[in-house]
Amino acid sequence: MNPFEYVKPSSVDSAIRAKARAGAAFIGGGTNLLDLMKGEIEHPRTIVDINGLGLDRIELLPDGRLRIGSAARNSDMAAHSEVRTRYPLLVEAIVAGASQQLRNMATAGGNLLQRTRCHYFVDTAFERCNKRNPGSGCAALTGEQRQHAIFGASDRCIATNPSDMNVALAALDATIRVQGPKGERSIPVGDFHRLPGGRPQVDTTLADDELILSIDLPENRCADGSHYLKIRDRASYAFALVSVAAAMHIENGVVSDIRIALGGVAPKPWRATAVEQQLIGKALTRGAIREAAKGVVDGSKAFPGNAFKQVLLPRAIARAVQVAGAVS
Ligand code: SF4
């Protein structure tokens, strides 16, 4: 690991000023950043510690939104009474990720920013990785593709976003509140992560000099039933091959609102809006759910190593929606 300077600012403003130094990085729980530093993938010259700045609070706002501070630990989010009562989907997604020890350290902001676990990205023995070394190529295009994307990829990068929390946030229409030298702004979660295009080294629309302050959740209109389904190679401590966050509102026996977000299949959480639209106004039956889910793979692009996802994904959506809607 390269030598680095450690800075512990006493305010959000001083943290943002410290980040302006060349090669500086924020640290919250460090569960991803330290791994990347030890693996010689990230080489920050200054570490700016954002713990102790009051960013770990979880609070209900007067307008009914829930504000989760960016330094709140995953375990604290999952155990918080307001989160458990109002957003059970988020709790399910968080506890599906990592291990208890990691959840005790990992933060909400770090979870948003965690980087892909593409084997070729995290192992510097592989030279070709456009995300780690722009312009070097993409080893996954002709290599191991089991974890890789079927939506939203480019010919430069086919990596997936590894977070479970982010999938639930996409279904819950979260907003990310950030602050930079010029003040605050809010980014809808759907615009926060970016597709690789020709610049796969850039994962998000967060500017270099901006700090995530909080994740804001609107009142949950889809609390009648929800479920997070994660399909992976082993039962715990593994990233999703495919995951589905489903939440719905039922009125007079028909679906009046439904949110379906997908993980493990794209460089960012992927909303299945066509499936949602097909279910709105319908009574939830196994047949209606299966019919709606099967079109989800229209427009997907698979490789030999991940073509199984085109079969698995509609089934996973059907299962998640059935469980969320208690459809027998
Ligand atoms: Fe690198 Fe992306 Fe290719 Fe993986 S898929 S090797 S992260 S460029």
Side-chain angles (χ1 to χ4, degrees), residues 281-304:
K282 292 210 172 85
L284 271 187
T285 63
R286 277 175 170 251
I289 296 168
R290 267 205 299 267
E291 185 60 29
K294 72 183 184 191
V296 70
V297 291
D298 292 349
S300 64
K301 180 183 174 195
F303 295 84

Side-chain angles (χ1 to χ4, degrees), residues 7-313:
V7 176
K8 182 103 172 87
S10 56
S11 69
V12 166
D13 287 343
S14 56
I16 292 167
R17 278 197 298 275
K19 179 67 166 55
R21 300 180 193 187
F26 289 126
I27 192 165
T31 55
N32 193 200
L33 180 62
L34 292 180
D35 276 353
L36 294 170
M37 290 169 66
K38 289 181 205 166
E40 300 290 345
I41 297 151
E42 304 255 5
H43 309 91
R45 281 186 255 159
T46 303
I47 296 280
V48 182
D49 190 340
I50 63 154
N51 294 290
L53 303 180
L55 295 176
D56 57 347
R57 284 195 285 270
I58 300 174
E59 55 188 340
L60 200 54
L61 301 178
D63 62 6
R65 289 177 299 152
L66 188 75
R67 174 159 289 169
I68 299 171
S70 60
R73 268 29 187 187
N74 285 3
S75 298
D76 292 336
M77 274 191 280
H80 195 278
S81 60
E82 296 290 354
V83 181
R84 296 186 75 79
T85 306
R86 293 163 187 262
Y87 308 97
L89 179 66
L90 180 58
V91 175
E92 271 191 286
I94 290 170
V95 298
S99 64
Q100 183 63 56
Q101 291 90 338
L102 283 167
R103 292 194 294 271
N104 289 344
M105 283 304 293
T107 62
N111 203 332
L112 272 170
L113 293 173
Q114 65 172 304
R115 306 210 70 191
T116 186
R117 295 324 198 270
C118 170
H119 323 290
Y120 306 106
F121 174 74
V122 297
D123 187 344
T124 55
F126 296 100
E127 283 179 18
R128 286 184 302 140
C129 175
N130 286 323
K131 191 180 277 295
R132 172 164 44 78
N133 184 14
S136 61
C138 172
L141 287 174
T142 51
E144 172 62 47
Q145 299 150 343
R146 187 168 174 75
Q147 294 284 346
H148 290 77
I150 59 172
F151 298 112
S154 75
D155 60 0
R156 304 281 179 88
C157 181
I158 59 171
T160 51
N161 185 292
S163 168
D164 295 294
M165 181 193 81
N166 292 349
V167 184
L169 294 182
L172 294 167
D173 281 337
T175 298
I176 317 304
R177 194 170 60 102
V178 307
Q179 183 178 329
K182 292 183 187 148
E184 282 185 33
R185 68 181 178 122
S186 292
I187 309 170
V189 70
D191 297 334
F192 185 80
H193 298 98
R194 60 181 297 282
L195 298 180
R199 289 195 307 146
Q201 67 273 26
V202 183
D203 292 343
T204 71
T205 55
L206 186 72
D208 261 358
D209 54 4
E210 287 180 319
L211 170 65
I212 300 174
L213 300 177
S214 67
I215 296 168
D216 294 347
L217 292 169
E219 275 192 86
N220 190 358
R221 290 196 62 247
C222 287
D224 290 343
S226 63
H227 184 52
Y228 184 71
L229 175 67
K230 180 174 182 178
I231 297 170
R232 45 189 159 175
D233 277 328
R234 59 176 181 235
S236 74
Y237 200 35
F239 294 98
L241 292 168
V242 163
S243 70
V244 182
M248 65 189 68
H249 178 53
I250 306 286
E251 255 178 52
N252 302 322
V254 300
V255 177
S256 68
D257 197 357
I258 185 163
R259 316 283 174 81
I260 301 170
L262 312 174
V265 293
K268 60 191 280 184
W270 200 256
R271 276 288 282 271
T273 46
V275 181
E276 294 171 355
Q277 289 305 315
Q278 221 178 313
L279 286 170
I280 287 176
K282 292 210 172 85
L284 271 187
T285 63
R286 277 175 170 251
I289 296 168
R290 267 205 299 267
E291 185 60 29
K294 72 183 184 191
V296 70
V297 291
D298 292 349
S300 64
K301 180 183 174 195
F303 295 84
N306 66 1
F308 71 94
K309 292 187 181 184
Q310 292 175 313
V311 179
L312 180 60
L313 185 59

